[in-house]
Structure formats: structure tokens, C-alpha cells
Amino acid sequence: MAYNASIIEKKWQENWDKDNYFEPKKDFSLKKKYILSMFPYPSGRIHMGHVRNYTIGDALARYYRKIGFNVLHPIGFDSFGMPAENAAIKHKIHPKKWTYDNIAYMQKELFSLGFSFSKKRILATSDPLYTKFEQEFFIKMFEKGLIYTKEANVNWCEHDQTVLANEQVEEGKCWRCGNEVIQKKMPGYYIKITSYANELLKDLEKLKDKWPNQVLTMQENWIGKSEGLEFTLFLDEESVKKVNKKDLQVFTTRADTIYGISYIALSVEHDIVKDLIKNSKLDAKIIDQIKIMQNQSPRERQSNEKEGYFLGIYALHPLTKEKIPIWVANFVLSDYGSGAVMAVPAHDERDFEFAKKYNLEFKEVISSKEKLPFAQKVGKLINSDKFNDLDCNEAREEIIKEFEKNNLGKRVINFKIRDWGVSRQRYWGTPIPMVKCNDCGLVCEKIENLPILLPEDVEITGEGNPLDRHLEWKNCSCPKCGKKATRESDTLDTFFESSWYYARFASDEDTWQNKVFDEKSVNYWLSVDEYIGGIEHAILHLLYARFFQKVLRDLGYLKNDEPFLKLLTQGMVLKDGFKMSKSKGNVVDPDEIIKKYGADTARLFILFAAPPAKELEWNDDALEGAYRFICKLYDRALNVESGNYILKHEELSKEEKYARLKVYEALKKSEEVYNKTYAFNTLIAACMEAINALNQCKNKALEQEAFYIILNILEPIIPHVCFELSDKLFKCRNFKKLEIKEEVFRKDSLVLIVSVNGKKRSEIEVLINTSQDEILNIAKKSVQKWIQDKVIVKEIYIKDKLVNLVIK
Ligand code: ANZ
Ligand code: ZN
């Protein structure tokens, strides 16, 4: 009977369904594993990246189930977001219909791949129940002061007509559509991720060696902690008259270079700059130039050539009281530190370039043999008065202390991370549950009125937010005073939804209707033990979710500090060297592969082609190869005879012993791979080797044992065919943890070194258990030509290692 994937796969998928095979057990005394692959956006169809993501997760989930763990392996859909609206505009189909049709289709596709997901815990983040609890979180966070509104410059994508969070701007472009992002002043809701900056940074230590280093470093840099001195600079008398200000604040991480200041640089948005412009204290031409810079995005300013203008005012050096010129410069960020830099061109590269361009002074204050500028952190201070000769690290401390003692400044910690703006001016999202009342101001919706759902009768044109035009929905009564009021029409950033779905999954589905999390269940299942997903979320989702876990902990909902104990970031799937994508026109449709070869082939290929973290280059020949391997496995296994045979290791031939060794090597490898390295490709290779070695063997008992083990090891990877074969051969549907038999690794014979007068002359192979006398005889024969005519004065035998003959 030839291998027929479609019949076998359909049969086993039905069997698994019937038996609720993959539902998590509700017995919390069992040891658990929570295996989660990042949930998909319902874009329409699944792609190869999904197949890879879920195959890796599924292999782990099936492995842990097999060795006795209670496994939670859920799936859902991240179903709010822009593409649904874009489809609505393009195809005149309602975003809700588009989304839920896609979900239905993709769900079918996912289950056709045999993924062992729980079917009882499927959710979509656009479901009313999900919205209800999400809005509850929003209100709890607002009441706790973790959410606030402000009008600020935001990142705006003209193409998508919406605001973007800082994390969603990649190299100045929109993370979704790639359009250049512009700045726009707008009101919006912000979440205080900054108040968790320290903990988010500190807890990265808990993830060390469990998350890829690259991800940890990216998060560390994004949070961007730096410690330094913030001090007050006083303006000289003349300048005070010009700007009506006495002083300004400066932040430096290099207090040790304080005697090297040659100018002060202010950002284009600094109050002093605005003041000078307002009061026309600058040359009209310069004002025009500054205004041009003000209208540029921070990114544009940074990437342009260094540019600045002298402002005609001076500050007094805090220690020497010398006059220092104050400039405005495009390289100074307005929202970092205090938007002002003490420039030390001798030791800082940016300051150096600027000083060179405008012919400003250089003052060297750290001795070094290198050429300027050297942003070095070693060396002794020079030209620094009483701090001369101190090591610069030491000097940094001493100078901060001096400032603190004289009340001139203080030690501060600055973070680069900014609060998370979550307002989106779009329809297809979770409505922000807030109401604006003329009398009461901003009021939270009442918890008992949740969820506030989207109205469905909207017209989506791509212009403006349809919720703004839907007056019936927008006009409401104030939850506090009952008078006429209006709803907030912005919706939430979809990353708000994806920040807590993992915790919702951990809650018992029987309680989903009534509460967001049932305590026992979430305390048992969380944290996620293995999280698998794309590196593109290194900051974005993975930072937001870590933040949410801590917030939900502090609101009393959850217990742990971190959501994901281990993280595996899978590499991209490429074809012809490029990421598979619709726009490149190089996609391979998983459905086609399943139709032609079956799900098991797709899964085997994906795991065999590359280790999970590496890029995977699509290869049609390798896909064929995977298919042929499964056919061979199928044929070969069906030749294994049933019946009771007892395996006696001693009675196996040399080839058979070798084949058995290969089988057990694969078994050993499987433990290492599933528990530690995830190098499934090496495990598959080991199984292939074992099957090849078995080709030479006739022993029926050995064949039975070998195929029992191989099917067992491969079940997490190619489950359908393995279930089919084990059922046929062994009437077995439950794979068990296997034992490693040491006898297999025991060797029959030994190789010994034979030396004469300490010099190696030959090697001999002897059977284990050979007597010492016999060994000496064999050894002597092997070195005949060196010992003939000589007298052996001593025979030394070191067990299992060597024989040495001393001759005269
Ligand atoms: C003097 C100095 C000398 C500096 C030196 C560096 C090297 P991090 O480490 O990223 O926190 N700085 C301060 N505020 C700034 C702003 N708003 N825009 C641009 N640069 C700003 O960077 C801190 C350093 O960046 C500070 O230390 C300051 O320059 C500059 F050899 O002060 B430093
Ligand atoms: Zn009111």
C-alpha cells in the first residue's frame, strides 16, 4: 500500500478532534508546559512564515505532552487593525466580515497542518468579550494614573492616516506601509511605560540565556538608561536682559569633561530659542533658518549635516565662571535630558564636527596619545584645576559630588524610552472607553456598561474616522452626571490587545464569560514556558507585553513579573534570497504544498531545512526529498512484522548492533534537541541515518524496537504518519517517554596500544573479557619484529589502555 497523505492526515485529524486530544487538563497537580507561538493577524491566508512558527511550537508541545506534561498550546487571532479597513475601502466589504471570514479560513488551514492547538480556547481580539475586559483594563489603568492625555507632537503616517507609537517607526518609516513618518501636533492617550522603565531594564537579567542576546540588547538600548549629572547654568548679565531668563539645565553623562566645555548647544525647540524668536532678538535670516529646522522631523534633523547658529548670548561656566557662547544646533534632541548639551569637542564626536564647521574652541581635558576627538573612557584629567591627575571615572564621581555639595546640580538617571501613545484615529479597533462631558471633563465609562462596541453601520472611505461621523454612537450621556456628552472616537493601538492575550489563554475557558482571568488557572499556567515568534517584535510586542504583565500584576490580576520565560525567535523564510512576500511575488502557498505532498511533508521540510533561529531558504528539491523520506519510512515500517519477538543484544550481528546504536543515538539526540538546542534538523538527520543502517538488518525484534523508537521521536514533527504507523504496527496511540538502554552503547571490543620500551609500535583489537594472558600473547605477536632475539624483562598491562614491553 502506497503512502497516501491526504487519507492518513484526514483520519488522524478527525481522531484527535473526537478525543479532545489536545485540550489542556484541568488537574493543576500535574507538571505543566505552556507553549505559545505568536498569534497571527488574520490577513487572509497563512504563509510559510506561519507554518514555520507553528511547526516549531507544535513540535515542542507534542514532545512535552508525550513525556507526561500537561500542555497548554493555544491559538487565536490578533484581529483588529488597519488591513481590514483598507480591504473595506478597496473591496467594499465590511471590516468585520473581512476579518471573521479570514479567521474562519485560516483556522481551517492551521488545523489542516495538524497543529495540536486547543480548540476550546480560540479567541479573536475583536470579540466583544475581549473588548469588554480590555476596556476594563484601560479604565483601571486610567484610574491608577497610568494613562493620561496630552497634546504632543506625534508620529503621523499620511498613508495610513493614523498616529504611530515610537516603537512603530522603523528608521523614520511606518512599520506597516513603509511611508515616511511626519510630525503632527495632536491630543492623545498615553500609557506611562516610563514609570516601569527601571524594572523593565532590571528584569532583563532574569531572561539572560533564556532569550536571544540580540533581543535583550535591543530592549536594553531602547529603554536606554544613562546616569549622569544635571546642573544649572547661569546666563551672564547681558544675556539675562535679552531672554528674561536667568538659567538653563544641562544633562551630561561625562561630568569629568566639565572643564572642556567650549559652547552650549540648545535644541531648536528649547524655551530660550523660542523666546529669542518671539521677541525678535535674532537676525531675521537666522530666525528663518531656525524655523526651517523646527519644521523638520527629529529624524531629518539628525540625518542632515550638523547645523546651528550663535544666539548672541552667553552662560557662565559653573566652576570657572568663564563666558561660554550659547548656540542652537540641530543635533540636540528636544525631548531628551533637558534639551541642552554642554559641548566638549575635544572628547565628543558630534560636538567635534560642529566645532570644526563653525571654528569653535577645543579644550582637551583628558590626556591621551590618540587624535581628537576621542570619546574615550580612560585617561587622566588635565587642565581641570584641582581634579587634575584623577582617573576620568574617578573624576566623574568627584565632580558630581562637588556639584551636589554646592547645590549646583544633582545625579540623575535618564531614560530614552518614551510613554506609549495608544490613540489611533481609525475605525477597526477597540473603542477607548472614555467620555467627554462639558461639566465633568474626561470621564471613564462605567464598568457595567462595558463593552462599548463599535457601531456596524458605518461608511468607510479612508478619510477621517467614521466613528466621528456616527453621531448616534458618538453622542451619549455622561457616566457621572447623566447630561449630554460625547464618546472618545479614537480606538486603541492593536498592540494593546496583543499585550495580554497570552494571559487570557491561560484562563479556564469555562470562566471566560464571567471574568477576565480565573485565578487558579492563570497562576498555574503562567508564565509562558516557550514563546516562539519573529525577531521583528524584539522591541514592539515583546516590550509592551512585558510592561503589561507588570501592570496587571500591580493591579492584582496576575502574579509573575515576566510573561515569557523563554523566547525562540525564528528566522525568516526566503526564496531566491529574498523574504517571501506578496510584494516580491515569491510566495509559496502552504495550501498547495499540503495538497500535493501533505502536511507532514511541509512540516518535515520546514524543520529539516534549517535550525529554527536561522534563515530558511526555500528549496523545491529538499521538499521532494522530505516527501521521499516519509514514503520510505512508510514502506519500510509496514514491512516490520508483528508478533512477539524478544530482543537479545548479544545475538545481534555486528551490522545489527551498529544499527541499534544509531537508533539509540537518535533517541539520545531527541532529548537534547527537544529540551535544549531545538536543532530539529540534526535530529531528523540522525533518524535518517538510523533508518539507512537498518536496511542491512534482518532481525525482527530489532526492527520492532527500532521503529517503535523512531516513530516515537518523529511524532512531534510528522505526527499523522507516525500515529498511523504506530497504530498499525503496535496498536499504540499514546507515545511514551522512552528509556535509553546502556547495553547498546557498550562496546564489544577494545583497541589497545602496544609499545616497546615506551615507544608505540602497534595497535590491537581484542574482545572485551579477553584474559590478561591472552592479551599479552596477542600484543607480543603484533610487535614480533621489534622483540625477536631480545629478552623481555618486564610486561606491563594497563587495563583497557595499553601494553608496554620492556626489552634488553
Ligand atoms: C558632555 C560630554 C562629553 C558628553 C563627552 C558626551 C561625551 P547618552 O549616553 O545617550 O545618555 N546630550 C545630553 N542631552 C542631549 C540632547 N538633548 N540631545 C543630544 N545630546 C544630548 O548621552 C548623554 C550625552 O549626550 C551627554 O553627555 C550630552 O553630551 C549629550 F565627551 O556631555 B555629554
Ligand atoms: Zn458629566
Side-chain angles (χ1 to χ4, degrees):
M1 229 192 336
Y3 168 61
N4 183 325
S6 70
I7 292 177
I8 294 174
E9 291 177 359
K10 185 157 175 287
K11 167 180 161 187
W12 286 99
Q13 284 165 19
E14 281 168 8
N15 270 326
W16 294 329
D17 250 5
K18 209 168 62 216
D19 300 346
N20 280 332
Y21 212 83
F22 305 125
E23 294 310 319
K25 298 189 184 70
K26 298 185 182 184
D27 174 357
F28 299 152
S29 66
L30 300 168
K31 49 189 182 163
K32 69 96 184 179
K33 283 278 175 192
Y34 181 179
I35 315 280
L36 183 64
S37 293
M38 289 180 185
F39 67 165
Y41 177 77
S43 55
R45 310 171 72 84
I46 60 162
H47 55 67
M48 277 301 164
H50 291 131
V51 176
R52 193 174 195 198
N53 194 204
Y54 301 123
T55 302
I56 296 166
D58 196 51
L60 294 177
R62 285 176 177 272
Y63 172 75
Y64 282 113
R65 242 181 244 118
K66 193 162 71 93
I67 62 169
F69 280 84
N70 187 12
V71 171
L72 174 60
H73 186 223
I75 187 75
F77 294 88
D78 189 10
S79 55
F80 270 138
M82 231 115 61
E85 274 179 77
N86 296 340
I89 298 162
K90 211 163 147 194
H91 306 299
K92 299 266 171 274
I93 170 175
H94 196 281
K96 181 171 175 186
K97 178 164 170 41
W98 184 85
T99 302
Y100 282 88
D101 285 354
N102 287 350
I103 288 177
Y105 187 80
M106 288 170 75
Q107 204 163 298
K108 228 177 73 208
E109 281 184 300
L110 289 172
F111 283 102
S112 78
L113 277 154
F115 296 138
S116 63
F117 294 128
S118 156
K119 288 200 164 168
K120 294 188 178 169
R121 295 198 186 182
I122 298 174
L123 60 79
T125 56
S126 51
D127 294 344
L129 255 187
Y130 201 86
T131 295
K132 172 177 164 175
F133 294 117
E134 179 150 303
Q135 290 172 335
E136 178 181 320
F137 290 153
F138 186 96
I139 290 168
K140 291 271 157 69
M141 288 161 83
F142 188 88
E143 287 170 346
K144 217 184 163 203
L146 276 171
I147 295 183
Y148 63 95
T149 53
K150 71 174 172 191
E151 173 147 327
N153 256 335
V154 294
N155 309 302
W156 176 263
C157 174
E158 199 52 45
H159 174 267
D160 290 329
Q161 287 285 307
T162 191
V163 167
L164 299 167
N166 291 345
E167 288 80 3
Q168 292 154 2
V169 181
E170 290 166 354
E171 303 188 354
K173 304 207 160 71
C174 170
W175 73 290
R176 263 193 195 287
C177 72
N179 248 40
E180 194 73 31
V181 169
I182 60 169
Q183 299 297 299
K184 197 167 169 175
K185 201 153 200 142
M186 260 198 176
Y189 286 84
Y190 288 81
I191 312 189
K192 281 192 189 164
I193 194 170
T194 52
S195 49
Y196 283 79
N198 226 351
E199 198 192 339
L200 285 167
L201 181 70
K202 195 186 78 221
D203 281 356
L204 289 175
E205 265 163 51
K206 296 184 183 155
L207 306 174
K208 209 158 171 255
D209 301 323
K210 299 184 182 131
W211 280 34
N213 268 333
Q214 187 196 0
V215 176
L216 296 177
T217 308
M218 284 168 80
Q219 292 217 352
E220 188 182 330
N221 291 339
W222 186 263
I223 297 166
K225 177 178 179 170
S226 52
E227 198 179 313
L229 170 70
E230 190 175 272
F231 64 95
T232 307
L233 266 177
F234 291 95
L235 302 184
D236 79 334
E237 254 174 73
E238 290 298 300
S239 306
V240 172
K241 286 182 206 149
K242 277 194 191 162
V243 282
N244 297 317
K245 270 205 166 59
K246 306 197 304 292
D247 55 30
L248 68 129
Q249 298 295 312
V250 170
F251 170 68
T252 178
T253 47
R254 296 296 304 275
D256 49 319
T257 63
I258 197 104
Y259 286 89
I261 306 180
S262 77
Y263 59 98
I264 301 296
L266 305 182
S267 84
V268 296
E269 270 110 13
H270 197 280
D271 280 347
I272 290 184
V273 178
K274 285 187 184 157
D275 204 81
L276 288 168
I277 293 177
K278 208 174 90 197
N279 298 319
S280 305
K281 293 282 158 72
L282 296 170
D283 202 271
K285 270 198 212 125
I286 292 184
I287 292 182
D288 286 346
Q289 291 304 315
I290 295 176
K291 282 193 173 156
I292 291 175
M293 295 199 291
Q294 281 174 341
N295 285 328
Q296 292 167 337
S297 71
R299 179 181 160 78
E300 232 177 308
R301 284 177 219 158
Q302 297 280 313
S303 57
N304 288 350
E305 195 191 322
K306 302 234 162 4
E307 187 184 331
Y309 301 92
F310 176 49
L311 295 173
I313 52 173
Y314 296 87
L316 299 173
H317 191 282
L319 303 176
T320 67
K321 307 294 178 213
E322 271 174 272
K323 268 169 76 171
I324 315 166
I326 302 181
W327 287 63
V328 57
N330 63 347
F331 69 86
V332 183
L333 304 167
S334 45
D335 66 346
Y336 187 62
S338 41
V341 173
M342 61 172 238
V344 184
H347 303 288
D348 180 89
E349 190 146 357
R350 285 172 307 179
D351 302 348
F352 175 83
E353 280 175 38
F354 192 83
K356 222 169 70 173
K357 178 166 175 187
Y358 294 107
N359 257 321
L360 297 161
E361 217 184 335
F362 287 62
K363 287 185 194 164
E364 222 178 310
V365 288
I366 297 171
S367 68
S368 166
K369 289 181 200 78
E370 289 161 62
K371 265 205 345 228
L372 301 182
F374 35 91
Q376 54 169 26
K377 300 220 162 81
V378 288
K380 285 194 168 26
L381 261 63
I382 53 173
N383 303 324
S384 299
D385 198 16
K386 68 176 178 189
F387 300 99
N388 279 342
D389 293 329
L390 281 180
D391 171 82
C392 64
N393 294 306
E394 224 177 308
R396 192 147 58 235
E397 288 303 306
E398 290 304 313
I399 292 173
I400 293 176
K401 274 188 213 152
E402 174 97 359
F403 271 78
E404 286 189 325
K405 199 176 76 193
N406 300 327
N407 268 329
L408 288 170
K410 58 180 191 302
R411 187 188 301 274
V412 294
I413 289 171
N414 267 321
F415 289 94
K416 293 239 160 58
I417 190 170
R418 291 288 163 263
D419 281 338
W420 172 18
V422 292
S423 298
R424 296 292 177 271
Q425 296 66 32
R426 301 292 303 221
Y427 166 73
W428 190 238
T430 305
I432 293 179
M434 300 295 289
V435 171
K436 284 175 259 181
C437 168
N438 277 336
D439 294 339
C440 312
L442 210 51
V443 186
C444 295
E445 188 50 87
K446 286 188 191 143
I447 298 282
E448 63 261 34
N449 290 345
L450 304 182
I452 303 300
L453 297 177
L454 292 169
E456 290 187 23
D457 52 338
V458 287
E459 200 202 347
I460 294 165
T461 58
E463 266 161 55
N465 181 348
L467 294 177
D468 261 338
R469 298 191 290 262
H470 198 294
L471 297 182
E472 220 177 298
W473 181 84
K474 205 177 166 187
N475 294 328
C476 62
S477 57
C478 168
K480 213 163 164 184
C481 71
K483 286 193 205 133
K484 275 189 181 166
T486 49
R487 283 197 188 292
E488 171 59 62
S489 59
D490 283 353
T491 53
L492 287 171
D493 181 1
T494 60
F495 280 94
F496 206 99
E497 280 98 68
S498 53
S499 293
W500 62 279
Y501 79 108
Y502 64 90
R504 178 69 171 169
F505 278 147
S507 199
D508 185 332
E509 70 275 6
D510 291 337
T511 69
W512 274 14
Q513 199 66 34
N514 303 320
K515 35 184 168 173
V516 59
F517 304 131
D518 76 290
E519 216 182 323
K520 276 201 194 115
S521 181
V522 288
N523 288 346
Y524 170 73
W525 285 112
L526 293 179
S527 308
V528 174
D529 294 283
E530 305 273 351
Y531 197 33
I532 304 122
I535 186 86
E536 67 274 16
H537 285 296
I539 295 171
L540 280 165
H541 160 62
L542 289 168
L543 186 67
Y544 294 145
R546 291 185 60 225
F547 165 57
F548 249 72
Q549 173 75 34
K550 293 173 196 302
V551 171
L552 293 178
R553 175 201 62 196
D554 293 348
L555 289 172
Y557 287 103
L558 300 174
K559 283 225 164 95
N560 300 319
D561 298 331
E562 285 291 328
F564 315 121
L565 294 184
K566 264 169 100 186
L567 173 70
L568 195 161
T569 47
Q570 106 231 19
M572 259 186 311
V573 180
L574 313 176
K575 190 170 185 221
D576 307 317
F578 293 101
K579 178 182 176 173
M580 261 190 198
S581 72
K582 267 195 212 148
S583 58
K584 285 254 158 40
N586 61 350
V587 286
V588 175
D589 183 1
D591 279 355
E592 297 293 312
I593 306 297
I594 297 169
K595 221 186 283 161
K596 192 161 172 204
Y597 300 103
D600 281 339
T601 296
R603 299 170 60 122
L604 182 70
F605 164 75
I606 277 272
L607 293 185
F608 188 47
K614 293 269 155 56
E615 288 181 339
L616 183 157
E617 175 70 45
W618 188 264
N619 179 332
D620 289 321
D621 292 340
L623 184 71
E624 282 278 345
Y627 180 68
R628 278 198 308 274
F629 171 75
I630 294 178
C631 292
K632 194 163 109 188
L633 172 73
Y634 187 80
D635 286 347
R636 189 71 184 75
L638 285 186
N639 279 329
V640 173
E641 278 188 41
S642 55
N644 269 329
Y645 298 102
I646 310 276
L647 196 149
K648 293 209 180 84
H649 189 71
E650 321 77 64
E651 290 172 7
L652 297 179
S653 71
K654 201 170 166 181
E655 287 76 21
E656 287 163 348
K657 279 184 184 157
Y658 176 76
R660 195 173 186 222
L661 176 69
K662 288 286 144 194
V663 170
Y664 274 87
E665 276 175 4
L667 176 58
K668 265 195 176 166
K669 176 127 245 158
S670 77
E671 293 186 2
E672 168 196 313
V673 166
Y674 286 117
N675 288 296
K676 217 166 59 207
T677 66
Y678 309 129
F680 302 105
N681 54 328
T682 63
L683 175 60
I684 296 164
C687 289
M688 291 176 171
E689 235 186 280
I691 291 174
N692 283 339
L694 284 163
N695 278 338
Q696 315 296 322
C697 304
K698 297 268 144 29
N699 186 297
K700 296 191 169 65
L702 171 63
E703 285 191 328
Q704 283 183 346
E705 183 200 56
F707 279 91
Y708 185 82
I709 292 174
I710 289 170
L711 293 174
N712 204 320
I713 312 175
L714 288 176
E715 183 269 328
I717 298 171
I718 44 174
H720 309 86
V721 70
C722 289
F723 265 81
E724 172 76 6
L725 290 170
S726 328
D727 188 42
K728 278 213 161 87
L729 299 182
F730 310 112
K731 302 274 163 290
C732 141
R733 289 190 177 188
N734 273 312
F735 288 100
K736 298 229 163 52
K737 189 174 162 70
L738 294 163
E739 235 177 89
I740 289 180
K741 300 216 168 74
E742 286 307 325
E743 63 180 4
V744 178
F745 296 94
R746 214 177 291 139
K747 295 209 178 96
D748 287 345
S749 58
L750 287 173
V751 176
L752 300 174
I753 291 168
V754 183
S755 50
V756 180
N757 284 351
K759 197 161 190 173
K760 181 178 167 184
R761 292 300 181 193
S762 79
E763 275 179 9
I764 54 171
E765 188 175 350
V766 295
L767 286 173
I768 280 174
N769 299 333
T770 310
S771 71
Q772 183 166 337
D773 287 348
E774 182 68 7
I775 286 174
L776 286 172
N777 277 337
I778 299 169
K780 281 178 210 162
K781 267 186 213 139
S782 77
V783 292
Q784 193 56 36
K785 69 177 178 197
W786 287 279
I787 59 174
Q788 60 193 353
D789 314 326
K790 298 277 161 50
V791 184
I792 299 178
V793 290
K794 207 168 174 188
E795 297 171 350
I796 303 162
Y797 171 55
I798 299 176
K799 197 170 176 333
D800 299 347
K801 285 218 172 79
L802 65 82
V803 174
N804 186 23
L805 303 172
V806 181
I807 54 171
K808 244 196 349 219

